[in-house]
Amino acid sequence: AGGSLLLLIDQGLFTFEARAAQEIAAQALQESFFEALRTEQRTGYIAKSIPQEHERHLYHTFLVQSNTHTGQDLLGRFELFLENYLLHLSDTIPLDRFETLKQSAIVSLKTRYKNLAIKSTLLDRLAFEEGGDFGFVEKRIEALSALSYEVFVQACHNFFGRLNSKRIALYVEGALQHPFHYTPLEPSEISQVVSYEPRKQL
């Protein structure tokens, strides 16, 4: 009946430099993960790669919903994808693409909080979750601007390499006890399924 595999990788404590590397990597990873797991391997309709920051910690989640592959098979494909991605990282994200992704992330941060509702959510977070650090966004922009290609590459290996064993996989399998299907009926049998009473006019 299908299922979903979620792989969560703990990428360590938040630093502005690590968050900058995570953000740049995430832009490229979503495209590559979708291309590999959905377009090429056809494992499932939904294939997502999502960076997360929670309580001063960094995480990355990979998710595929599939009706054709088991959880163990999907997990193997996830790990193989990450190994190949790191092996060919300099080809997938060469220096010029790194600079493009960096500039895109900087522009996104500069324009992300223009909406009043989003701005108020940001201020609430800065006040109560970031210890009143109202220069938080500016510090993230500075970290992105200062991030070197060499530090970025090393961070990717630290994040996704086999030496980082801080990862957990969760497979959720669906089960239909009574699979949905249509049953042909004769006209005389319709009244056994549904009854209809004309609605009174007011």
Side-chain angles (χ1 to χ4, degrees):
S4 298
L5 180 75
L6 182 150
L7 173 64
L8 177 68
I9 300 179
D10 183 337
Q11 297 180 322
L13 293 174
F14 172 94
T15 67
F16 286 102
E17 182 177 76
R19 182 67 180 92
Q22 183 199 49
E23 181 149 358
I24 294 174
Q27 293 183 65
L29 266 173
Q30 173 54 32
E31 179 183 334
S32 296
F33 186 72
F34 185 89
E35 178 71 19
L37 274 294
R38 183 187 171 188
T39 306
E40 295 176 5
Q41 301 178 31
R42 300 182 181 277
T43 57
Y45 183 73
I46 297 174
K48 293 185 177 181
S49 166
I50 308 164
Q52 295 164 296
E53 175 198 339
H54 182 65
E55 294 185 352
R56 309 297 289 181
H57 228 85
L58 301 179
Y59 303 92
H60 201 105
T61 299
F62 297 92
L63 170 69
V64 164
Q65 185 278 324
S66 177
N67 293 323
T68 55
H69 294 69
T70 66
Q72 194 64 42
D73 180 42
L74 289 172
L75 183 57
R77 290 170 186 266
F78 283 21
E79 292 291 356
L80 184 59
F81 165 80
L82 290 172
E83 281 191 20
N84 287 332
Y85 195 83
L86 292 176
L87 184 63
H88 301 287
L89 184 61
S90 60
D91 296 322
T92 307
I93 310 179
L95 179 58
D96 58 343
R97 188 181 183 204
F98 166 75
E99 293 296 342
T100 299
L101 291 170
K102 181 198 287 193
Q103 291 306 312
S104 175
I106 291 172
V107 170
S108 175
L109 274 174
K110 287 181 176 179
T111 59
R112 191 177 299 174
Y113 305 104
K114 298 298 184 182
N115 178 287
L116 185 59
I118 297 175
K119 183 74 171 181
S120 64
T121 300
L122 170 66
L123 293 174
D124 180 78
R125 175 190 169 185
L126 298 182
F128 299 104
E129 296 180 30
E130 302 296 342
D133 184 1
F134 293 100
F136 184 81
V137 175
E138 288 72 22
K139 290 177 182 177
R140 285 196 56 198
I141 292 172
E142 290 172 4
L144 278 164
S145 300
L147 186 68
S148 70
Y149 183 65
E150 292 74 21
V151 170
F152 166 75
V153 169
Q154 185 58 56
C156 286
H157 284 274
N158 293 341
F159 289 159
F160 303 110
R162 282 293 182 95
L163 291 179
N164 179 11
S165 60
K166 297 180 292 184
R167 54 186 76 196
I168 185 170
L170 174 66
Y171 182 65
V172 180
E173 185 175 14
L176 293 177
Q177 298 297 326
H178 304 288
F180 177 82
H181 64 279
Y182 286 96
T183 302
L185 294 176
E186 295 295 328
S188 60
E189 297 176 297
I190 293 177
S191 61
Q192 300 173 22
V193 179
V194 62
S195 61
Y196 170 73
E197 294 182 7
R199 183 178 179 182
K200 296 180 180 180
Q201 297 294 323
L202 298 179

